Amino acid sequence: MKDTSIDIMEIRKRQDKTPDRRSNRDVDVSPEEKIEKSDLRGDKLNIAILFFLYLLQGIPIGLTAAIPMLLQNRGATYKQQAEFSFAYWPFSLKLLWAPIVDSLYWNAFGRRKSWLIPTQYLIGLFMLILSQHVNQWLGGGASPPNVQVLTVIFFALNFLAATQDIAVDGWALTMLKRCNVGHASTCNSVGQTAGYFLGYVVFMALESTEFCNTYLRSQPEPEGFVTLPGFLWFWGIVFLATTTLVAIFKRENVPQASRRYKDEPELNIRQSYTLLLDILRMRPIQILGAILLTIKISFAASDAVSSLKLIDAGVPKDKLALLVVPLVPLQIILPLVISKYTTGPRPMDVYIKAIPYRLALGVIAAFVVWITPAFFINGQFPVYYYVMLIINYGLYQITLYSMFVAVMAFFARISDPAVGGTYMTLLNTVSNLGGNWPSTVVLWLVDVLTWGRCNIPDSQTDNMCASQEQKDACKSAGGKCEINIDGYYIECVICLIYGLFWYKWGRTKIAYLQRLPLRSWKVVEETSSRDSESLLRNQNAVH
């Protein structure tokens, strides 16, 4: 019986001749395919182009991270922050349209350029349009922020950036020579990180009047070096200009020999979606999906709300952004160090061991937020306070990266080599989604769980400051909303208790998954078995 969507037997034949990526053994490969030594001759310009394309991709991601900081200083509620958090979701959902990007294209223009060029032009145009209206939408003074419009605009920007990511990832496999394809992941991680750094850290620093007057100017001025409209306008022009250069001067050649895995099957749209459903039907994948979609609830309050609470307490947003700078070397070295402990058959042991430490550091982060007002002396925070923040953040990053590297190693170990690209993309998508939805929920719940009252001198009121309208009414009456019970701390307690219960449940499930033989994760073998059983049933029915 032949599958109507995917020729399973053909995939099995191809897999038998494909290099075994788990045991590093080559089976039936030519001498040319065994040579993997990097040779950058003729590929240096291509590597530079890939790096720049990934850098451009990081710019809208960094700007998206900067907007919540700006909104917090303009009086946005936590429900509005939750609404804006949907702008992060496209990178967690890109698997839904990745098969379309891979399968539909204009061959005369180029398989990847057919998507890359339009998406980058649209990103540039969005930035130019946004630069004309962003100050109005951000609000300020008596004008409230228009979070709905900002969410739609930045969701669209990240949707386009995620689509560009799909196209560039695919182009990297054919733009570089086969021996240099390994450099594509370096271009991805370094380029996207550099773009994020420019769009978030550099922008926040240069936009800050205090930072520019303190460190970059001899005479103080009322504004920073850049404004958000000017920053958006500059990068909009960069997107349009560089996209035009790539469209005109960079030809897309797709030599068969340049594919990383020549025998990995090319699937059309219907085959790709059928394959995804086959993977999702597997019991081990369903258990792993439940783990990935629920674990980050334990850390959601610390991850999503702590930095915003620090801004509420008076910590300058540019100083928070700059805390990332001293930790950049740590973020580069950590994956290399941790990877030594995630090789082998049980990489998720590191994942499990890191959870209690991450929970404990989340509690410490909440304590730091609570004592922050005590450090606000003479209108500023002392240096040792920022050192305390950096130490806590650095230790937290160690636990975060330990879990990240461990789960990535586990993904690489269990992915079916016959359809590795689709398999890995699915697992990464579920993992990213598992981080995004808890952040959105906890941001929305902060205001719901917060108990306060409007304090008006020499008067009594039943105004509980439960909504923005009540807060505005309190302010107009000459009062001030005072928090009696902060919903952030309630969330921290709930997340901690949940995390402890999850740890007891999750470690047994992870131990079970690590005990499974690798054949339990192979979708091709499972589908082949189902086809064989179906064929036998049909034959018996005929006889």
Side-chain angles (χ1 to χ4, degrees), residues 186-392:
T186 304
C187 292
N188 187 330
S189 59
V190 177
Q192 193 177 96
T193 300
Y196 178 88
F197 188 83
L198 288 171
Y200 177 51
V201 178
V202 173
F203 165 70
M204 294 294 288
L206 297 182
E207 188 265 349
S208 169
T209 304
E210 179 185 353
F211 179 85
C212 292
N213 288 340
T214 304
Y215 301 105
L216 303 178
R217 290 181 177 138
S218 57
Q219 297 293 328
E221 294 185 18
E223 290 186 348
F225 271 124
V226 302
T227 63
L228 183 55
F231 193 81
L232 286 164
W233 179 266
F234 170 79
W235 283 107
I237 296 298
V238 170
F239 265 92
L240 295 179
T242 55
T243 302
T244 301
L245 292 175
V246 172
I248 296 174
F249 296 108
K250 181 59 184 173
R251 296 184 60 187
E252 183 176 351
N253 298 319
V254 193
Q256 183 69 13
S258 68
R259 289 179 57 196
R260 183 188 297 193
Y261 303 113
K262 291 169 58 177
D263 297 312
E264 187 171 334
E266 296 247 358
L267 307 177
N268 59 34
I269 296 177
R270 182 184 176 190
Q271 292 171 334
S272 296
Y273 285 116
T274 302
L275 176 61
L276 290 176
L277 290 175
D278 283 338
I279 297 174
L280 290 172
R281 291 191 188 105
M282 297 167 61
R283 182 60 179 168
I285 291 293
Q286 292 172 356
I287 296 174
L288 180 58
I291 290 171
L292 297 175
L293 290 173
T294 57
I295 174 58
K296 292 181 182 176
I297 300 175
S298 311
F299 323 115
S302 181
D303 291 349
V305 188
S306 292
S307 60
L308 299 178
K309 280 295 178 181
L310 289 175
I311 293 176
D312 283 346
V315 180
K317 62 184 185 302
D318 56 293
K319 298 288 180 65
L320 283 179
L322 289 171
L323 291 180
V324 177
V325 176
L327 297 176
V328 169
L330 179 67
Q331 292 172 337
I332 295 174
I333 296 171
L334 268 177
L336 300 177
V337 175
I338 298 168
S339 63
K340 296 179 181 179
Y341 302 95
T342 56
T343 56
R346 301 181 63 86
M348 292 292 278
D349 286 352
V350 174
Y351 189 91
I352 286 295
K353 291 176 181 177
I355 291 175
Y357 294 100
R358 190 170 174 182
L359 287 171
L361 288 166
V363 174
I364 295 174
F367 177 73
V368 169
V369 172
W370 182 64
I371 64 173
T372 290
F375 290 91
F376 194 60
I377 304 170
N378 298 325
Q380 61 182 2
F381 291 91
V383 174
Y384 62 84
Y385 170 78
Y386 291 108
V387 172
M388 179 177 64
L389 286 183
I390 290 174
I391 292 173
N392 180 255

